[in-house]
Amino acid sequence: MLPGSIQITGEALSGAEIKDICDSLKENSVRLLSVRGCQLSDRDFGRVCRGLTDCHSVAQLNLNLGVVSSIGRVKQLAEALQANRSIQALFLHGSPLMDAGLAALNTALSTHPSLVSLDLGDCMLGDEGVQIICGMLPPDGAKSGLKELTLSANPAITSKGWARLAIAVAHSSQLRVLNLDYNPLGDQIAGMLAVAVASSRTLEVLDLEGTGLTNQSAQIFLDMVENYPTCLRMLVLAENDISAELQQQISDLLSEGEEDDEGAARGTGGLSLMRKVTTPKAVKLRQRTGGSLLSPVAPADSSSQMVLVTSGLGDSLLAETEM
């Protein structure tokens, strides 16, 4: 029997339910484990972590929305990750980790042999946390690192921290998706990120929704996509003070790049890179579907369009259908 999934949201988990989860982990019959927003005792959290230690089937672990709620749980999770070999995607969005919690996880995350996707959105991180994350984005020629990184809504990170991240992204040999939505970045930091995108040979998706950008940032990105070849295939600029005209110009240029890439792929038998930009009213889904990771739900009017932002990680990660 192929491994299945366990997806529970916002419930108080009983001892019997925890036992079922642990039995499934022991039997290697679960590929996706999601207990986002669930309440469970410290003892039961430890039981789940011990189950993860010896499980070699689980590929996605979703502990979003406060499940990892104390430094004690952080340490238990770190022990599990140090022994586990199969987890490819770890979601800790909305966990009060702070820099100290991330430091406790650092060794386990940095040395995990399979981890390629990490969500640390809304984890109360600061500059010290960013420094730790940069260690997970090794430069060209180094060990493999993260392919997808989410740092949404971590407003305590300063311009110094973002500059350090931009340097790491510019030299990362693996990173393909970077979600920075709902951070107070502003135009200066966006300029740093544009340089990082121009330097990167792998980055395909950059999410800057709701980050305090203006036409100044958009003009920089416009110049970049017009004058320099990049791997960028999707740029999210919604919920910023950017004119529709500039967004359309960027969209047109990326569309031209998409057509050129598709033509080159047909001529060489290679794989094309699509490049797109969202419309001013675009909102995103934090739902995972179709074998690719999608960006988060953002506050928006119900009449807004929905634009899927896929990471392109392919079938290596399970489809997660819950919200």
Side-chain angles (χ1 to χ4, degrees), residues 197-214:
V197 172
S199 301
S200 172
R201 291 180 291 177
T202 58
L203 193 66
E204 300 174 3
V205 177
L206 178 61
D207 184 352
L208 298 176
E209 178 170 357
T211 51
L213 308 188
T214 70

Side-chain angles (χ1 to χ4, degrees), residues 27-216:
E27 296 167 0
N28 292 299
S29 61
V30 57
R31 187 158 171 78
L32 183 156
L33 174 59
S34 176
V35 290
R36 63 194 299 273
C38 289
Q39 302 171 39
L40 61 164
S41 68
D42 288 342
R43 175 177 176 272
D44 286 341
F45 183 84
R47 291 170 62 193
V48 172
C49 286
R50 287 191 294 275
L52 289 167
T53 297
D54 298 322
C55 181
H56 58 255
S57 65
V58 63
Q60 283 195 20
L61 178 61
N62 188 329
L63 302 175
N64 283 351
L65 304 182
V67 177
V68 185
S69 56
S70 66
I71 192 65
R73 293 192 178 191
V74 168
K75 292 178 179 178
Q76 288 177 313
L77 178 61
E79 291 177 2
L81 291 173
Q82 283 182 310
N84 178 274
R85 290 314 211 227
S86 63
I87 293 174
Q88 299 175 33
L90 175 64
F91 307 117
L92 298 174
H93 200 104
S95 302
L97 295 180
M98 298 186 285
D99 291 347
L102 186 57
L105 284 171
N106 182 29
T107 299
L109 295 175
S110 300
T111 60
H112 196 287
S114 302
L115 187 68
V116 293
S117 179
L118 180 63
D119 187 340
L120 295 173
D122 194 18
C123 285
M124 304 173 67
L125 301 179
D127 289 354
E128 292 182 9
V130 170
Q131 186 171 2
I132 292 170
I133 291 165
C134 289
M136 303 177 199
L137 303 174
D140 290 351
K143 64 180 182 180
S144 61
L146 295 175
K147 293 184 179 179
E148 175 164 335
L149 174 64
T150 295
L151 288 175
S152 314
N154 281 292
I157 299 172
T158 71
S159 58
K160 179 181 178 181
W162 292 123
R164 181 172 287 158
L165 180 69
I167 293 171
V169 170
H171 292 282
S172 171
S173 60
Q174 297 289 325
L175 194 66
R176 295 166 62 180
V177 178
L178 180 61
N179 298 315
L180 302 179
D181 47 314
Y182 295 96
N183 285 296
L185 302 181
D187 290 328
Q188 182 179 4
I189 296 169
M192 298 178 190
L193 292 170
V195 174
V197 172
S199 301
S200 172
R201 291 180 291 177
T202 58
L203 193 66
E204 300 174 3
V205 177
L206 178 61
D207 184 352
L208 298 176
E209 178 170 357
T211 51
L213 308 188
T214 70
N215 286 344
Q216 178 181 329

